[in-house]
Amino acid sequence: MRTRALGWLAGLALLAGLAVAFGYAPREAAQGNVQRIMYLHVPSILTAYLAFGLVLLGSIGYLATRGKAWDRLAASAAELGVLFTGVTIVTGSIWGKPTWGTWWTWDARLTSTAVLFLVYTGYLLLRGMVDEPERRGRYAAVVGIVGAANIPIVHFSVKWWRALHQPSTILGPEPSPIAAPIATALLVNWVAFTLLFVYFLARRIEIARLDDGAVDA
Amino acid sequence: MKRRAKFIVGGVFILGALGYLIYAGVSQSVVYFVTPSELMAAPVSGKTYRLGGMVQAGTLKWEPKSLDLTFAVSDGKTAVPVRHKGTPPDLFAEGRGAVVEGTWTADGHFKAATILAKHSEEYKAPDDGAAEPGYKELLRTLQGSSGK
């Protein structure tokens, strides 16, 4: 019941996000309307960071306690992380063509994000290949922990190396100029995406729990 | 318990080494573009480069009929003359960042095959006053990330 309420809340927040992205935020001065893709692109990757952070947490928890709930958390969060990373890459590509003049280029940010996507796709693949639950949990946990090392690389790539991708505007070392309505629209969408993620995660963990129960019985 | 501690120490060591190798390797070899100063320090004609910098004000010329595009890419110290045939991306303009892919030619100019516009991390409302979009920030970006 509480999960369902969360789902409705996430839905409403997404509607609010759409409304502010198109109705409240102004047309950006340099880029024009194409900048509005940011309201999908940035919340997506921030949600993916959160998801992979939870994979790390679940993996450590599983190795330390061997509690199945930790493994379910890691596995469920990984699926959602891959989904949101995919959304980030697709929206970024659509934005890149009119803005940069290319769909894709191998700069540090784009390459490390592609690696992030592949590592966690590999994580899901590995889970699919091992049938025995304890071994599956253990192997996956190792990948879940090692893979997390890539998160700071993705985030700081634009700072550490020369890239085509612009540096961080929010979550950067020093605040960057961003018009207040644009920042507000971004924040609303970030909250909406986080709510949506928590709702999906709760549902996915519930399914995983029922699956585990069915195996045990 | 002791065995586990050994594994943890070993694991942290291996991860640290791996991380350092990736960081050091990538810093040295995967520089997305060279700056005009770096290019002019040792230009090799016929070699393919990615050149990044600001499109110098007052140098941009475009012939819509022949699609001949000429401009200079500058990092504040050195400017490199660039020639290109084609249409630039929408955000390409004087005083903004750009990355051009192409070759250095023997007769002293950069022949561009592809032009990419670099966008700044600034987001402005249409009537935000300041006219030059992201110039300062972009220049800072170019200097701050020289890998040194």
Side-chain angles (χ1 to χ4, degrees):
Chain A
M1 210 53 229
R2 254 191 311 165
T3 314
R4 176 164 292 178
L6 183 63
W8 282 108
L9 190 64
L12 286 175
L14 282 171
L15 282 178
L18 272 177
V20 289
F22 286 100
Y24 172 66
R27 217 165 61 93
E28 206 270 331
Q31 294 180 51
N33 280 324
V34 75
Q35 177 269 335
R36 294 183 204 273
I37 292 176
M38 182 201 209
Y39 304 126
L40 283 179
H41 182 72
V42 175
S44 291
I45 194 62
L46 293 177
T47 308
Y49 287 165
L50 173 65
F52 295 139
L54 289 174
V55 175
L56 175 68
L57 182 73
S59 300
I60 293 171
Y62 182 73
L63 286 186
T65 68
R66 300 295 156 121
K68 279 186 176 174
W70 290 112
D71 190 42
R72 290 195 288 266
L73 169 68
S76 307
E79 281 183 11
L80 291 170
V82 168
L83 174 73
F84 282 104
T85 310
V87 171
T88 306
I89 292 174
V90 170
T91 51
S93 188
I94 294 170
W95 176 86
K97 183 60 182 168
T99 312
W100 291 336
T102 185
W103 297 103
W104 185 265
T105 186
W106 293 103
D107 86 337
R109 173 52 80 70
L110 276 63
T111 307
S112 58
T113 310
V115 170
L116 188 75
F117 184 76
L118 289 176
V119 164
Y120 286 94
T121 310
Y123 173 95
L124 296 178
L125 212 65
L126 177 70
R127 292 195 71 93
M129 287 195 304
V130 184
D131 284 332
E132 207 264 299
E134 203 281 325
R135 276 204 310 159
R136 178 176 61 211
R138 193 151 39 93
Y139 292 174
V142 173
V143 178
I145 292 170
V146 175
N150 197 15
I151 299 170
I153 296 179
V154 171
H155 186 70
F156 292 110
S157 54
V158 285
K159 190 174 154 52
W160 290 343
W161 303 296
R162 266 180 220 161
L164 183 62
H165 196 289
Q166 64 275 20
S168 307
T169 302
I170 52 165
L171 298 187
E174 63 250 28
S176 281
I178 180 165
I182 296 179
T184 307
L186 194 56
L187 184 70
V188 171
N189 280 282
W190 185 5
V191 171
F193 268 62
T194 307
L195 286 171
L196 183 71
F197 166 75
V198 175
Y199 171 66
F200 279 166
L201 186 70
R203 284 287 189 220
R204 185 65 188 85
I205 289 176
E206 181 64 16
I207 292 168
R209 200 177 60 78
L210 293 173
D211 273 351
D212 280 0
V215 170
D216 286 344
Chain B
M1 225 35 228
K2 223 173 169 187
R3 197 163 148 262
R4 183 182 259 186
K6 262 191 228 165
F7 268 112
I8 291 172
V9 171
V12 167
F13 183 76
I14 292 169
L15 280 185
L18 207 67
Y20 175 75
L21 278 178
I22 294 173
Y23 180 80
V26 169
S27 305
Q28 273 173 21
S29 58
V30 190
V31 173
Y32 185 72
F33 56 81
V34 296
T35 64
S37 296
E38 284 166 359
L39 175 72
M40 295 319 283
V44 180
S45 58
K47 194 181 163 189
T48 305
Y49 293 96
R50 259 200 208 105
L51 176 70
M54 309 296 300
V55 180
Q56 203 170 37
T59 61
L60 182 62
K61 282 193 199 77
W62 193 55
E63 287 292 334
K65 282 199 179 120
S66 63
L67 296 181
D68 283 322
L69 182 74
T70 58
F71 57 95
V73 170
S74 160
D75 58 1
K77 284 167 276 185
T78 315
V80 175
V82 180
R83 288 184 203 165
H84 178 70
K85 218 170 174 61
T87 315
D90 289 351
L91 278 191
F92 181 84
E94 288 183 351
R96 287 194 183 159
V99 174
V100 291
E101 296 173 349
T103 51
W104 178 253
T105 58
D107 57 323
H109 71 269
F110 193 86
K111 190 169 178 292
T114 311
I115 293 181
L116 301 172
K118 196 175 186 322
H119 178 252
S120 82
E121 73 273 32
E122 292 184 16
Y123 298 89
K124 289 199 180 84
D127 301 306
D128 220 25
E132 283 201 279
Y135 178 80
K136 269 201 325 273
E137 289 300 305
L138 270 168
L139 209 59
R140 183 180 59 74
T141 310
L142 290 169
Q143 286 162 350
S145 55
S146 60
K148 297 274 146 57

